[in-house]
Amino acid sequence: MFNRLFHGAAVLALAASGALAAQDDITIGMALEPPNLDPTGGAAAAIDEVVYANVFEGLTRFASDGSIVPGLAGSWDISEDGTVYTFNLRSGVTFHDGTAMDGEDVKFSLDRARAEESTNAQKALFAGITDVTVVDPMTVQVTLGAPDGAFPFKMAWGDAVIVAPETIETAATNPVGTGPFAFSEWKQGDSVEIVRNESYWGDAPALAKATFKFISDPNAAFAAMMAGDVDAFPNFPAPETLMQFEANPMFSVIVGSTEGETILSINNKSGPLADVKVRKAIAHAINRQEIIDGAMHGFGTPIGTHFAPHNPDYLDLTGQSAFDPEMAKQLLAEAGQSDLKLRLALPPPAYARRGGEIIAAQLRNVGIQTEISNVEWAQWLEQAFKGKDFDLTIVSHTEPADINIYARPEYYFQYDKPEFQALMEDLNVTSDAAQRTAILHAAQQMIADDYVNGFLFQLAKTGVANSKIEGLWENAPTQANDLTGVRWTN
């Protein structure tokens, strides 16, 4: 009798201890491998998907609902004229190598990002800064050339994270930040591992380790989720299989919105594409819903300009480039293009590869032939993004509120319009909400009128996770897999 009671008590004790010890490691699936791990020196969204809020932190940061909250700056003060921001840094913050983070690191990071020789992909974020002064180790004063109510928003981007001069040279392969996780290992072509930072200044994350596993093939992604090799795939590349996961209680399907404007990018300086009539013909040849249904299995919101539909300043201009193949043919005839052949470069994401085949067929129906080339991400960045060696390509721009890229003549689709650039300059110095809305409406209308690109759809965030995982972002206000609030439930 005693032995049976003792044995029962031992089993209960073991069960209780097991219940308390929730799993503390996670494997996250990603469709694309980052080309490097330095968010201040690369344009690929996959960089931030690994390191944003996990390894690196900025003065401010995006919360899951898109709001801007304090980061390494616990608070900030703004001068009456709106041109001086004084950031009060948190005390006791250290980098993963044990060195202290202070005002000198902030000054180094901002000065480096805005320097003439800067390789920062979002250099425009820092263009308004005229001076960065370290008042004391915990206080930094940033002076702007003109008032900018969006400055805390700009400082929340992954491109604006705080780095240290001692480790920045090796950040591409061995990133050293201040975040709740420290970089551990990068197995090229396979995965990146991060581990809990035991000296983190803030709340300790529930996870002790996270592995980002790179799986570009949609069928392989499905198999990995079903086998449990991957615990969550926040941006799942096979939306056609989501119904199978929804029907299985072992999984949660998480559908939200992203900042990803998916566009048929047009090289505005490539031969016949410099003619607005040709670009307009391409826009009217496109059937957006067919692309959303065929490539994204119905997930996605049509757009007619480069702006997110969930943004309160969104202007619905889809009707201006409605599917009208007869108009497309007429415009091509007016432009003298009876035998147009264009190169279409397709990077790896499913929206590009699948969507590209559909768009090629739609263009063929109006008399435009396309030569499709499937390119890897690194090749796309080098050839299309940097080299501007393309006619058409498909990519989702996942940076938040990024219509300002159309004010950069050297940007890869090479739209050069002084009137648009003037609009963005006005926006930068305008803090009144109604005036900002009016400027943003004018900007959306202008690029729609100029048919700069083929505006397709807003990328949906379709994720799959083990149903015992909580804390993953539903929406994506920025390109990130923020693991700070992720945990396993029993």
Side-chain angles (χ1 to χ4, degrees), residues 61-304:
R61 57 157 293 172
F62 289 101
S64 60
D65 63 357
S67 61
I68 304 300
V69 297
L72 293 177
S75 64
W76 54 90
D77 305 300
I78 310 169
S79 64
E80 281 190 25
D81 66 356
T83 62
V84 180
Y85 281 77
T86 303
F87 291 96
N88 307 304
L89 305 181
R90 298 184 190 272
S91 59
V93 179
T94 58
F95 287 98
H96 299 143
D97 61 0
T99 59
M101 190 288 299
D102 60 22
E104 293 296 340
D105 297 301
V106 174
K107 178 175 172 58
F108 167 77
S109 301
L110 297 184
D111 284 348
R112 174 175 171 267
R114 68 193 184 97
E116 192 174 332
E117 67 277 11
S118 169
T119 58
N120 194 294
Q122 299 296 335
K123 197 172 175 182
L125 295 173
F126 314 94
I129 300 174
T130 59
D131 182 68
V132 182
T133 300
V134 179
V135 179
D136 60 53
M138 294 292 101
T139 312
V140 177
Q141 205 169 71
V142 180
T143 303
L144 307 178
D148 184 359
F151 191 65
F153 164 83
K154 293 176 179 178
M155 292 299 97
W157 284 48
D159 310 80
V161 296
I162 303 306
V163 295
E166 298 87 353
T167 55
I168 191 58
E169 292 304 319
T170 56
T173 54
N174 183 28
V176 176
T178 59
F181 295 94
F183 170 75
S184 175
E185 184 182 15
W186 185 359
K187 296 178 182 174
Q188 296 277 348
D190 180 71
S191 61
V192 167
E193 182 183 284
I194 58 176
V195 295
R196 184 193 289 142
N197 171 16
E198 301 297 345
S199 302
Y200 184 54
W201 61 266
D203 295 334
L207 298 173
K209 184 177 81 169
T211 303
F212 295 93
K213 184 82 173 171
F214 310 123
I215 308 172
S216 60
D217 180 71
N219 295 325
F222 174 77
M225 278 300 309
M226 293 300 290
D229 296 334
V230 170
D231 300 312
F233 220 120
N235 294 291
F236 192 61
E240 68 275 12
T241 63
L242 288 177
M243 287 181 66
Q244 294 180 56
F245 289 109
E246 282 181 329
N248 189 330
M250 291 175 58
F251 300 100
S252 298
V253 173
I254 309 164
V255 179
S257 64
T258 77
E259 289 290 327
E261 290 84 20
T262 307
I263 61 176
L264 175 67
S265 301
I266 300 174
N267 189 338
N268 282 230
K269 289 188 177 176
S270 181
L273 296 174
D275 187 341
V276 68
K277 284 188 176 180
V278 175
R279 300 196 301 270
K280 185 175 180 179
I282 290 170
H284 283 296
I286 292 169
N287 183 332
R288 295 183 182 93
Q289 198 57 50
E290 190 178 11
I291 299 164
I292 293 169
D293 292 340
M296 307 306 295
H297 297 271
F299 292 99
T301 306
I303 55 173

Side-chain angles (χ1 to χ4, degrees), residues 144-489:
L144 307 178
D148 184 359
F151 191 65
F153 164 83
K154 293 176 179 178
M155 292 299 97
W157 284 48
D159 310 80
V161 296
I162 303 306
V163 295
E166 298 87 353
T167 55
I168 191 58
E169 292 304 319
T170 56
T173 54
N174 183 28
V176 176
T178 59
F181 295 94
F183 170 75
S184 175
E185 184 182 15
W186 185 359
K187 296 178 182 174
Q188 296 277 348
D190 180 71
S191 61
V192 167
E193 182 183 284
I194 58 176
V195 295
R196 184 193 289 142
N197 171 16
E198 301 297 345
S199 302
Y200 184 54
W201 61 266
D203 295 334
L207 298 173
K209 184 177 81 169
T211 303
F212 295 93
K213 184 82 173 171
F214 310 123
I215 308 172
S216 60
D217 180 71
N219 295 325
F222 174 77
M225 278 300 309
M226 293 300 290
D229 296 334
V230 170
D231 300 312
F233 220 120
N235 294 291
F236 192 61
E240 68 275 12
T241 63
L242 288 177
M243 287 181 66
Q244 294 180 56
F245 289 109
E246 282 181 329
N248 189 330
M250 291 175 58
F251 300 100
S252 298
V253 173
I254 309 164
V255 179
S257 64
T258 77
E259 289 290 327
E261 290 84 20
T262 307
I263 61 176
L264 175 67
S265 301
I266 300 174
N267 189 338
N268 282 230
K269 289 188 177 176
S270 181
L273 296 174
D275 187 341
V276 68
K277 284 188 176 180
V278 175
R279 300 196 301 270
K280 185 175 180 179
I282 290 170
H284 283 296
I286 292 169
N287 183 332
R288 295 183 182 93
Q289 198 57 50
E290 190 178 11
I291 299 164
I292 293 169
D293 292 340
M296 307 306 295
H297 297 271
F299 292 99
T301 306
I303 55 173
T305 188
H306 197 108
F307 220 76
H310 56 254
N311 190 300
D313 291 325
Y314 175 70
L315 196 60
D316 185 356
L317 297 170
T318 48
Q320 189 168 320
S321 51
F323 177 52
D324 190 339
E326 293 309 312
M327 183 187 287
K329 292 175 185 176
Q330 181 184 330
L331 286 162
L332 288 171
E334 290 175 11
Q337 297 293 340
S338 58
D339 187 27
L340 187 56
K341 292 185 175 66
L342 298 171
R343 299 169 299 156
L344 175 58
L346 303 177
Y351 65 74
R353 295 275 167 92
R354 294 172 179 174
E357 296 289 345
I358 296 167
I359 287 174
Q362 293 174 353
L363 293 177
R364 190 162 53 244
N365 288 340
V366 302
I368 300 174
Q369 301 300 317
T370 56
E371 178 192 341
I372 291 179
S373 60
N374 290 335
V375 296
E376 292 309 306
W377 196 240
Q379 185 184 350
W380 185 91
L381 287 168
E382 194 63 34
Q383 184 177 317
F385 189 76
K386 291 182 183 176
K388 306 176 183 65
D389 180 16
F390 75 101
D391 293 329
L392 306 172
T393 187
I394 300 174
V395 70
S396 195
H397 282 255
T398 55
E399 296 86 356
D402 62 347
I403 196 170
N404 64 332
I405 58 179
Y406 289 77
R408 304 180 202 169
E410 77 288 351
Y411 204 61
Y412 77 105
F413 41 70
Q414 302 194 88
Y415 174 61
D416 188 357
K417 179 120 174 182
E419 295 90 339
F420 188 90
Q421 294 154 26
L423 278 177
M424 291 300 101
E425 288 171 11
D426 288 345
L427 184 69
N428 287 338
V429 297
T430 302
S431 54
D432 179 80
Q435 290 177 11
R436 287 180 66 85
T437 297
I439 294 170
L440 286 168
H441 281 186
Q444 291 171 67
Q445 187 70 60
M446 192 176 291
I447 60 172
D449 289 346
D450 287 338
Y451 296 88
V452 183
N453 292 309
F455 303 108
L456 304 178
F457 60 88
Q458 196 72 8
L459 199 65
K461 183 172 166 62
T462 52
V464 180
N466 185 302
S467 59
K468 292 182 178 179
I469 295 171
E470 65 178 24
L472 290 167
W473 280 8
E474 178 180 325
N475 300 314
T478 191
Q479 45 210 17
N481 290 312
D482 181 353
L483 301 180
T484 55
V486 175
R487 65 182 65 243
W488 288 87
T489 60

Side-chain angles (χ1 to χ4, degrees), residues 3-27:
N3 284 339
R4 286 201 302 274
L5 282 171
F6 179 81
H7 177 72
V11 169
L12 284 171
L14 283 169
S17 66
L20 292 172
Q23 186 172 341
D24 64 359
D25 67 294
I26 195 170
T27 300

